[in-house]
Amino acid sequence: RCLRDMAFFSFVADTAATAASQKGVPGSASAFYAVLLCETLCEMKRVEASAVPRLLPYLEAGLAPAASAEQYAGALMVACQLSMGANMAMPLTEAVLEGVAKGARAPLHAQALQALLVICGSQMVRELPSRAFKHLVKMPDLPSRVADMCEKYESDSFIVPLVKALAQSATQHANYERVLGGIVDEVKLS
């Protein structure tokens, strides 16, 4: 029904955003809304431009550091599905990348990296936005997590912008240099 009735889609997106912004244990409603939004986006041949603004409050609440792990996971799914179905404007792409990187938390670090890979690949990101980069390099064990992801997936769409940003920033902070060294040591770069 969400496909045929944009008013109903708006209702679902608004209700999902309200559920994602609530504190405490999200319950099964959070998963239901995430799956419903993903399925709706998946069924659209191209995500309609009018659907994107309706999803932003949900993404903002779900990717926030204060969101629960369940809410964050749902927002990752919706962000990936949106990025695969829409040509997002650069400011929106940058905001979503920043939200994914900033909101990353245990036990979802691998899923956050996979979401960054999907978004970078589908939106043809050539450079990581600086704010997303600064949050990403704070991730514990980033080099080994990136190496694990690169063994499982074709990751050039993410690894190239990451290594480029690390190389450009390595002299600015010891952590950037450490992460770059770890990536060079652990990731099989081609």
Side-chain angles (χ1 to χ4, degrees), residues 5-144:
D5 184 351
M6 286 310 282
F8 186 70
F9 179 78
S10 294
F11 168 75
V12 170
D14 291 345
T15 307
T18 301
S21 62
Q22 292 178 347
K23 303 283 188 240
V25 180
S28 59
S30 178
F32 170 76
Y33 288 124
V35 170
L36 181 58
L37 291 172
C38 283
E39 289 293 322
T40 302
L41 292 173
C42 185
E43 290 298 318
M44 293 180 184
K45 291 184 183 193
R46 287 298 297 156
V47 174
E48 297 174 22
S50 62
V52 176
R54 292 178 169 103
L55 295 169
L56 297 182
Y58 174 78
L59 290 173
E60 183 179 6
L63 295 176
S68 71
E70 292 84 0
Q71 293 162 331
Y72 180 72
L76 288 179
M77 292 170 26
V78 172
C80 288
Q81 198 64 51
L82 175 63
S83 74
M84 290 187 302
N87 289 326
M88 300 187 321
M90 187 52 69
L92 177 57
T93 301
E94 290 176 356
V96 172
L97 288 169
E98 180 185 353
V100 170
K102 185 176 182 178
R105 80 279 319 265
L108 298 171
H109 288 126
Q111 290 78 9
L113 289 174
Q114 291 166 5
L116 291 170
L117 171 62
V118 168
I119 297 164
C120 286
S122 62
Q123 298 301 310
M124 296 180 275
V125 172
R126 299 291 172 243
E127 293 186 19
L128 280 180
S130 63
R131 291 165 66 167
F133 170 74
K134 289 175 183 178
H135 291 294
L136 180 61
V137 295
K138 295 175 186 175
M139 184 181 290
D141 303 320
L142 181 62
S144 63

Side-chain angles (χ1 to χ4, degrees), residues 103-188:
R105 80 279 319 265
L108 298 171
H109 288 126
Q111 290 78 9
L113 289 174
Q114 291 166 5
L116 291 170
L117 171 62
V118 168
I119 297 164
C120 286
S122 62
Q123 298 301 310
M124 296 180 275
V125 172
R126 299 291 172 243
E127 293 186 19
L128 280 180
S130 63
R131 291 165 66 167
F133 170 74
K134 289 175 183 178
H135 291 294
L136 180 61
V137 295
K138 295 175 186 175
M139 184 181 290
D141 303 320
L142 181 62
S144 63
R145 293 178 193 281
V146 170
D148 289 344
M149 183 178 71
C150 289
E151 287 180 19
K152 296 175 186 169
Y153 307 102
E154 171 56 47
S155 302
D156 288 353
S157 62
F158 172 70
I159 196 72
V160 169
L162 175 61
V163 170
K164 183 178 176 182
L166 285 166
Q168 291 171 341
S169 304
T171 59
Q172 296 174 7
H173 195 279
N175 186 47
Y176 299 163
E177 182 179 2
R178 180 190 61 76
V179 172
L180 176 61
I183 296 275
V184 170
D185 289 343
E186 295 187 41
V187 176
K188 295 176 186 169

